[in-house]
């Protein structure tokens, strides 16, 4: 029983130690140099055909954006 308690405490300690944030040991000059270079042109994410979309009917890879859709509030008594 004592070994279970010691093992549990050790596992908890290991989990806490592994969950700590990593150490970032870059100096400020290197960070400024990288930030000054700027980023390259970012690539647009490509949409891929997935097996889940293949199993569903009428699913296309190019889905329209939701920006054009509007949120509507309706009264529950006015249901169709």
């Amino acid at each position: 029983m004592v070994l279970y308690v010691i093992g549990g405490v050790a596992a908890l300690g290991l989990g806490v130690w592994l969950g700590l944030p990593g150490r970032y040991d870059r100096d400020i000059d290197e960070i400024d140099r990288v930030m000054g270079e700027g980023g390259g042109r970012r690539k647009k994410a490509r949409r891929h055909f997935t097996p889940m979309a293949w199993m569903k009917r009428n699913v296309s890879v190019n889905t329209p954006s939701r920006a054009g859709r509007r949120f509507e509030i309706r009264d529950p008594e006015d249901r169709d």
Side-chain angles (χ1 to χ4, degrees):
M1 185 69 174
V2 173
L3 291 176
Y4 285 127
V5 172
I6 293 172
V9 170
L12 178 66
L14 180 65
V16 168
W17 183 69
L18 290 176
L20 291 174
R23 297 181 186 196
Y24 194 75
D25 56 355
R26 305 279 183 204
D27 58 347
I28 295 176
D29 295 331
E30 184 177 355
I31 295 171
D32 287 338
R33 182 183 55 80
V34 171
M35 294 293 286
E37 290 175 0
R41 190 170 179 173
R42 297 188 187 259
K43 294 183 179 180
K44 193 172 186 180
R46 291 179 53 191
R47 296 187 181 267
H48 297 283
F49 187 74
T50 61
M52 188 59 134
W54 185 44
M55 293 188 325
K56 293 183 178 181
R57 297 180 74 194
N58 300 328
V59 175
S60 65
V61 176
N62 296 325
T63 58
S65 67
R66 294 183 181 201
R69 298 181 190 167
R70 302 195 114 195
F71 180 75
E72 296 180 14
I73 299 176
R74 295 185 184 171
D75 190 11
E77 296 175 359
D78 295 337
R79 290 186 186 179
D80 295 339

